[in-house]
Amino acid sequence: MRIHQGDVILESIKNIPVEAKYLRDGVVVRGEVTGHSHTIEKSKIYEKDNKIYVEVTEKQPIIHPDHPATVPIKIGNYSVRIQQEYFPDGSRQVKD
Amino acid sequence: MKILKINNNYSCEEQPSIVSTTLRMWLLNDKLHRGGGKPAVETEYTKLFFWRGLAITEKIAEAKLSIQEILEIENMEIRQAAMEIIGYEKFFQYAKEIHRFTPEQFEKKFPVKSNPMYSLYLLQTGKDEKNDDIKILMMNDPSKFPFVKYFIRVHPDEIDCGLAVAHSYDYKTYDEFNSKKFWV
């Protein structure tokens, strides 16, 4: 299952890689320009090889100030895809 | 702090024109870069503006050039930077739509004839610094109301909206991008 909110897609996965490093709680992706972040309050965020992983520990919505309240996201593990914009010197994450 | 000026301009070839203890530099991926109209290099006396390593004027950094002024910039790299800063959507009068697409499940919200969910545009403002076409993908976000359009630059080889949006999330096909998905 996939959850798509704006420039972020969460993909349900069985397990988060064991080597993934714990980053923080809650904030899945920070909004670098607007300061608006995609947040799942009861979650743990991990990173491995520049890829973000989320462990959702309670059924709850993903929150973003520009988006309406969402359907609850199930407890489980997710990997995160962030939309990339093309630039001649290399693609980079869309600046939210 | 030491400052050397000639005719009120910072100028000296023999030694640094400014020696500062308050130098502040903003870099992104090893290149001087700062958005929001702010300088990437600052001392108490100077402000220098950079966009992905490219020196630009304060007026470009602050997005104060008119569309016409931007189109008249001769240097391709600087013109491209100015276009990015001001936002590609401002150049749509100089754009040609080359493809439009609405997924079947969103046809009611975004009728493909009048307001497609995705449109791919070729900017007819000249090529970029690599002599490539500048292509922009317009996206309607179905989870927001009132609907909001977003614009991102996509690879110059893109010719199909569905593929362009799939590639922007690093999927190989549109079906892979669109399967088993909930928009929230």
Side-chain angles (χ1 to χ4, degrees):
Chain A
M1 186 187 69
R2 293 176 180 151
I3 312 286
H4 190 160
Q5 185 180 65
D7 54 348
V8 167
I9 296 177
L10 301 184
E11 294 180 328
S12 178
I13 54 172
K14 279 192 179 173
N15 298 303
I16 293 171
V18 285
E19 309 87 13
K21 192 176 108 187
Y22 169 78
L23 286 184
R24 56 184 175 262
D25 283 359
V27 177
V28 179
V29 178
R30 294 183 196 279
E32 290 181 38
V33 176
T34 61
H36 294 168
S37 300
H38 299 267
T39 304
I40 302 173
E41 283 184 2
K42 304 284 184 189
S43 70
K44 294 189 183 304
I45 316 301
Y46 299 84
E47 184 263 337
K48 181 178 179 274
D49 299 333
N50 293 321
K51 194 159 179 64
I52 302 289
Y53 298 90
V54 185
E55 179 188 359
V56 177
T57 53
E58 274 184 32
K59 194 175 177 183
Q60 63 196 301
I62 179 167
I63 296 165
H64 187 281
D66 291 341
H67 290 265
T70 66
V71 292
I73 291 170
K74 290 178 182 169
I75 292 171
N77 298 318
Y78 298 85
S79 63
V80 179
R81 288 187 190 234
I82 304 170
Q83 192 170 31
Q84 304 286 315
E85 180 162 17
Y86 170 80
F87 286 92
D89 61 351
S91 292
R92 75 174 70 104
Q93 189 175 311
V94 169
K95 295 281 188 279
D96 193 2
Chain B
M1 179 65 153
K2 185 169 68 174
I3 303 170
L4 289 173
K5 278 190 170 183
I6 299 173
N7 295 332
N8 212 31
N9 292 324
Y10 297 105
S11 188
C12 184
E13 289 187 59
E14 311 301 322
Q15 52 186 300
S17 297
I18 297 174
V19 178
S20 171
T21 54
T22 62
L23 174 68
R24 300 202 301 166
M25 299 164 76
W26 277 259
L27 291 102
L28 184 69
N29 298 329
D30 260 356
K31 291 180 178 173
L32 286 166
H33 175 92
R34 197 173 179 201
K38 293 175 179 163
V41 179
E42 273 184 313
T43 72
E44 313 89 303
Y45 292 90
T46 52
K47 288 179 180 174
L48 300 174
F49 298 83
F50 286 83
W51 188 259
R52 294 190 281 124
L54 184 70
I56 55 173
T57 65
E58 184 171 1
K59 218 172 160 186
I60 292 175
E62 292 179 345
K64 285 184 176 168
L65 292 185
S66 68
I67 300 296
Q68 202 51 46
E69 284 174 313
I70 290 173
L71 294 176
E72 285 168 5
I73 296 172
E74 285 187 10
N75 182 287
M76 235 184 266
E77 285 185 75
I78 295 177
R79 186 173 67 232
Q80 168 68 18
M83 288 169 72
E84 277 179 42
I85 290 166
I86 202 166
Y88 288 116
E89 63 273 24
K90 304 272 185 5
F91 294 87
F92 268 40
Q93 57 183 305
Y94 305 98
K96 178 185 165 197
E97 189 184 42
I98 53 177
H99 187 241
R100 55 170 54 194
F101 172 61
T102 294
E104 208 177 319
Q105 70 265 40
F106 294 114
E107 257 292 346
K108 280 188 182 168
K109 272 186 183 176
F110 304 110
V112 75
K113 281 189 180 166
S114 55
N115 181 29
M117 190 156 152
Y118 304 113
S119 286
L120 185 60
Y121 291 90
L122 170 66
L123 290 195
Q124 296 176 310
T125 53
K127 305 213 173 200
D128 69 7
E129 63 266 37
K130 284 187 164 176
N131 208 31
D132 282 332
D133 288 333
I134 300 171
K135 288 185 180 170
I136 305 298
L137 180 67
M138 182 282 293
M139 299 165 285
N140 269 301
D141 187 333
S143 68
K144 289 188 183 181
F145 193 84
F147 301 126
V148 180
K149 292 182 193 299
Y150 293 93
F151 302 88
I152 61 165
R153 186 171 174 189
V154 295
H155 195 279
D157 291 345
E158 299 290 2
I159 52 169
D160 177 289
C161 295
L163 271 175
V165 71
H167 292 161
S168 73
Y169 288 95
D170 204 22
Y171 292 106
K172 289 199 173 112
T173 65
Y174 177 76
D175 287 343
E176 192 188 351
F177 162 75
N178 198 43
S179 69
K180 297 178 186 170
K181 196 165 65 160
F182 294 94
W183 291 81
V184 296

